[in-house]
Amino acid sequence: MVADQPVQQNDPGFAVNGYFIRPPGKVSEITRVYEIKDIKLVTQITSSDAERKMLADAGYAEPAINYYIEKKYMGHIENADQVSEKVGSCGDIMKVYIKLNGSEIIEDVRYEITGCAGAISAAMAAVDLVKGKTIDEALKLNDGDVFTVLENIPEKKHHCIQLAVKTMHQGLNEYRQGA
Ligand code: FES
């Protein structure tokens, strides 16, 4: 395109990153490059803010939103001492990887989750609550402990906390049973 070329009345514009851009009264190639850069920047900022706002509007408190967005214990542990899996009543699946220091202290935990924001935030909070604890201490973890850390999640998501805690308990019990 030639710089400062007047835009034709019927200029159809063009699409970038799912946005349709109609050129202003006069356009040049430089103008268009800046337009594209600005739009990419705006898109990145708004998608994160929009996600936070959606979760807050749905009833997630800030600590729960942070756990969900950061997902700091998602994934797997290569040389885990125990790997266990549980399917929730909703059909969602959690897999827990537990690494012990010796035979009793919980060194690290990771979750792989096919599930909702409630499940992810609850599982991440559960890991913070058991890291460095003994197996016996971690087996005392309950839904209320996790809810306290999250501060709030929607009431219809409380069973997701249950799934995170039950999966953790199952992993610890199966480790003890040598399963
Ligand atoms: Fe299934 Fe949240 S809806 S774990």
Side-chain angles (χ1 to χ4, degrees), residues 68-84:
Y68 170 68
I69 289 185
E70 289 167 14
K71 296 180 179 60
K72 56 183 178 175
Y73 303 120
M74 281 287 267
H76 71 282
I77 298 173
E78 205 64 63
N79 53 349
D81 293 298
Q82 180 66 39
V83 182
S84 295

Side-chain angles (χ1 to χ4, degrees), residues 103-178:
S103 60
E104 278 298 316
I105 306 291
I106 298 168
E107 185 179 309
D108 203 3
V109 181
R110 291 284 184 277
Y111 279 89
E112 284 176 338
I113 300 170
T114 311
C116 67
I120 292 169
S121 58
M124 304 299 99
V127 177
D128 267 340
L129 287 165
V130 303
K131 267 178 93 166
K133 301 269 175 69
T134 64
I135 293 178
D136 282 336
E137 286 168 338
L139 284 169
K140 289 184 190 139
L141 177 77
N142 63 44
D143 302 355
D145 299 329
V146 175
F147 186 78
T148 302
V149 171
L150 296 177
E151 285 185 13
N152 202 19
I153 66 170
E155 203 175 327
K156 60 177 188 271
K157 292 288 170 190
H158 288 189
H159 74 275
C160 315
I161 296 180
Q162 231 171 52
L163 178 59
V165 171
K166 278 186 176 170
T167 306
M168 178 82 76
H169 286 175
Q170 183 176 317
L172 295 169
N173 283 324
E174 286 181 352
Y175 170 76
R176 281 215 163 141
Q177 293 155 9

